[in-house]
Amino acid sequence: MSSRVAVIGAGISGAVCAHVLRGHGISAELIERGRAPGGRMASPTLHGRRVDLGAAYFTAKEPEFVAAVERWSAQKLVRDWTDTLDVYSADGHRQTSGPMRYAAPDGLRSLVRASLPDEARCEAAVGSLDELDHDAIVLAMPDPQAARLAPDAAEWVDYEPVITVAAGWERRCWPLPDAAFVNDDPDVTTIADDGSRRGDGAAVLVVHTTAQRAAAHLDDPDGAVAPVLDALRRLLGVTATPEWTHAHRWTFAKPVATHDEDAYGLTTHGGRLLGSCGDSWCPSGAPRIESAWLSGHRLGAALAARLAR
């Protein structure tokens, strides 16, 4: 009989891990406590269109992930967005060029759905690993959440919070063409024109706060809206009042450190195999969507090889 694996967390790393396991003939059940797959690649529908509230974009460098992006591109799931971003700081305003940033016309969550072997079992929280009778378990979630289920399984790292504020106007009223990094600001770190990013021209900005601003509003995310709008006035000269706003809390948004192990925490826990994946499991030291995808892909292959012994 095929081995059975529980993959807890249906973000990109968990979805890819389950996909790889099933490609090796292993039964993989995705368990997601949220209402839908996606994790920090969430793209909820706000005022009639999808808005990316998690990751702002992604880049591709490693051959395995480049191949995945090429497949998504052929399927019209991703589009080239921009290789040039604005930078705002105390020294003024400039632009910086770098690798191509990719975006998804139907939101980044569509890439998670495309990676799913089938639908995840959503709104199914796991309180203890003892509840599961699978042969192996994968923790595909931020480290602080994984630590609650398996405190001694790894040297877990801390995460910083972020509050994402989306706002929509009747028309564009800012000079920003695509997106901007904001350096040394007390309130915001990135600003993205979601209409540019998605390619539909909608007058929607999506702003990520600093960890300090987020920490002050974790109990009331809507409290971060006013400081963010003040920052948009200060940085971009946006004086018009938006028609709508939406705030989303990410308690565990970004790892403050990363794991340097190549085995992605694959160990034995309670008499069965236990693995971990996500953007903190990136020996390159640069947590991003590519890191999360690679961790799930490589963990799936390593776990399949162990189960085959």
Side-chain angles (χ1 to χ4, degrees), residues 118-145:
D118 56 19
E119 288 299 315
R121 180 158 63 93
C122 295
E123 296 187 278
V126 175
S128 168
L129 298 185
D130 292 336
E131 300 172 10
L132 305 174
D133 61 356
H134 300 69
D135 300 299
I137 297 172
V138 170
L139 303 178
M141 61 187 70
D143 280 30
Q145 295 173 329

Side-chain angles (χ1 to χ4, degrees), residues 81-164:
W81 180 29
T82 183
D83 62 359
T84 302
L85 297 183
D86 288 59
V87 179
Y88 290 88
S89 66
D91 297 329
H93 168 231
R94 61 183 176 87
Q95 288 188 320
T96 182
S97 296
M100 176 58 64
R101 277 81 172 181
Y102 298 96
D106 197 34
L108 290 174
R109 177 181 282 168
S110 66
L111 305 183
V112 178
R113 291 189 180 278
S115 302
L116 289 173
D118 56 19
E119 288 299 315
R121 180 158 63 93
C122 295
E123 296 187 278
V126 175
S128 168
L129 298 185
D130 292 336
E131 300 172 10
L132 305 174
D133 61 356
H134 300 69
D135 300 299
I137 297 172
V138 170
L139 303 178
M141 61 187 70
D143 280 30
Q145 295 173 329
R148 296 171 186 168
L149 293 173
D152 302 324
E155 294 292 330
W156 304 112
V157 303
D158 292 329
Y159 273 57
E160 292 180 338
V162 165
I163 291 176
T164 302

